[in-house]
Every structure is written in structure tokens, then in C-alpha cells.
Amino acid sequence: AAPLDMTGSTEVGFSEYGLEIGLPIWGSDDASGKGKGKDPKSWLGSRLYLYGGYSRFDLDYDMSANAMGTLFSSTYSYAQERRQDISEDYWRIGGRFRNSFALGAMSDVYVDTRAGFYYRDTDLRSFERNWSSFGPSSDRDFTLEFNDSDNDLGYEGRLEAGVGLNLTSGVRAELGGWADYRSAVGSVFNPWSGDQVFFDGLTTGLTKDDLFSYGASLRFQVDLGSSPPPPP
């Protein structure tokens, strides 16, 4: 007799998009130490914004598992395919503070912090197919489908720092790193043992957890209303 030889794979797809609007409520025109008020559209300075926005996250899992083995001259096999899609909509509001310090005529260092609240709406679609060559005939080929939804309020915070380069008047590139925290995000729970299914009555469904993430960013900004600053 030999145990079942198992193989499997998991593929994950992720997409995100959104829109954010910021309203400046306080700020200075110049953080370069060379005087204030010279360029009201300068990227430099300390500014406080109110922000509001919407973002959408889509996370897709494609998983498969296969097992085959021989017991008492009989061959046994098992296969499972599972696809789970999580979609989340966030409506955000909060405050953002940004401070920039000049490095030279065309570059600066910036620090951007924000904190706010959001409403989250999460949906789960789960499909699973199981096939085996053993057991009762009714259990040899069957599918499971689950749909679940969840919504609640959460809070978020973000810290970002980097270097900015003014390419032309009103056009800017920024390269930086960021760390982000959200108090509640949707995630999927899948039972991992027969005891959880048959004795505890657990099924696939949504749960939630907090999330800390970090990364790097490269972005370009365009000020459609900017004009060349006056000469010194």
C-alpha cells in the first residue's frame, strides 16, 4: 500500500481602481526657507486637506488539488477545483497632511500622512467541484457554491515619504515608499478539516481582519491650472 500522492496549484489575481478628491483647507506656499508667497501653485509647503473618495478591490483565487495512490491493488484518485472571487467597495473620508522641503531648484523631499474612516461593502462568490473514484456514488462528483456579503465601518491610516522632481511647470514625478493600515477588510474562510464541516457545521464564508501593507510608488502629477512662477 502507498499513500496518495498529492499535487496542487494556486493562482491569485488582483486589481484596484478608484477616485479621490482633495480639498485644501490650510497651507503655506513655500517650505524652501527662501520666503513665502512667491508661488501660490508651488508644490512646496505644508498643507492640510480634507479628502473623500471611492475605491474598488477585486481579488480572485483559482486553486486545484489532485491526489492518486494505490491500496490493495486498487487505484484511488481525487481532484478538487475551487474558484473564489472577493470584491470590495470602499467609500472614504478623512484628513491628509503633506509637508515638502526643497532639495534644489527642481527637487524636494515630501512626507504625506493621512487618517480617516470608510464604509466597506464586501461580496464573495465561491464555486468548488470535487471528484473522486471512491466512496458512495452520490459523493464522487459534486459541486458546492457559496455567496456571502458583509459590510461595516472602519478606519485607516497611511504614511508616505519620497522624493519629488519638477519636470516642467505643472508636471511632477514622485518616487516614494508607503505603509498603509486598514482596521477591517474582507477575507474568505474555508474549512480545513472534516471535523469542522461535519461536527462544527462550518462552511465557506466571509470573515474580516485588519490589514497592514507597504510598498513603493512612482506617480506623475499634472496641475492643469499652474503657471510659471514669477522671477525672484
Side-chain angles (χ1 to χ4, degrees):
L4 293 177
D5 294 325
M6 298 192 67
T7 60
S9 65
T10 300
E11 296 181 3
V12 181
F14 175 78
S15 64
E16 174 187 359
Y17 60 88
L19 174 67
E20 182 177 293
I21 298 175
L23 176 66
I25 59 175
W26 176 87
S28 62
D29 298 330
D30 187 6
S32 65
K34 299 178 181 179
K36 296 186 177 182
K38 293 170 59 177
D39 179 12
K41 290 185 172 62
S42 170
W43 298 104
L44 297 175
S46 301
R47 292 182 174 84
L48 180 64
Y49 301 83
L50 291 179
Y51 72 85
Y54 165 80
S55 58
R56 167 91 175 196
F57 296 87
D58 289 298
L59 190 59
D60 303 324
Y61 294 96
D62 286 302
M63 294 162 281
S64 64
N66 298 273
M68 181 175 293
T70 302
L71 182 64
F72 302 120
S73 300
S74 297
T75 299
Y76 297 89
S77 59
Y78 170 81
Q80 181 186 77
E81 295 181 355
R82 178 186 292 165
R83 178 177 178 85
Q84 296 179 324
D85 302 324
I86 300 177
S87 59
E88 290 195 294
D89 297 292
Y90 288 83
W91 286 267
R92 293 183 161 96
I93 188 171
R96 172 190 173 197
F97 181 75
R98 182 184 179 91
N99 207 352
S100 301
F101 301 91
L103 289 178
M106 300 292 292
S107 61
D108 62 86
V109 174
Y110 69 90
V111 178
D112 197 314
T113 59
R114 66 173 62 197
F117 299 91
Y118 60 82
Y119 172 79
R120 173 183 63 90
D121 186 14
T122 306
D123 293 298
L124 167 67
R125 298 181 302 276
S126 177
F127 176 83
E128 178 182 314
R129 182 176 182 181
N130 296 272
W131 180 89
S132 66
S133 63
F134 53 88
S137 57
S138 59
D139 294 337
R140 293 191 177 190
D141 190 354
F142 65 93
T143 60
L144 297 172
E145 293 187 56
F146 299 96
N147 295 296
D148 199 3
S149 61
D150 182 42
N151 58 76
D152 66 355
L153 297 174
Y155 58 90
E156 63 181 358
R158 183 182 177 99
L159 173 65
E160 180 176 346
V163 178
L165 177 64
N166 300 321
L167 302 177
T168 63
S169 177
V171 180
R172 172 181 174 85
E174 292 184 346
L175 175 63
W178 55 268
D180 183 272
Y181 176 79
R182 283 177 282 165
S183 65
V185 299
S187 60
V188 62
F189 168 78
N190 292 303
W192 50 269
S193 72
D195 289 346
Q196 289 183 328
V197 175
F198 297 109
F199 298 105
D200 299 332
L202 300 180
T203 62
T204 293
L206 279 174
T207 183
K208 66 179 180 180
D209 202 352
D210 61 344
L211 176 67
F212 175 78
S213 57
Y214 57 91
S217 64
L218 172 63
R219 62 172 170 261
F220 295 90
Q221 297 175 259
V222 178
D223 186 344
L224 299 178
S226 68
S227 59

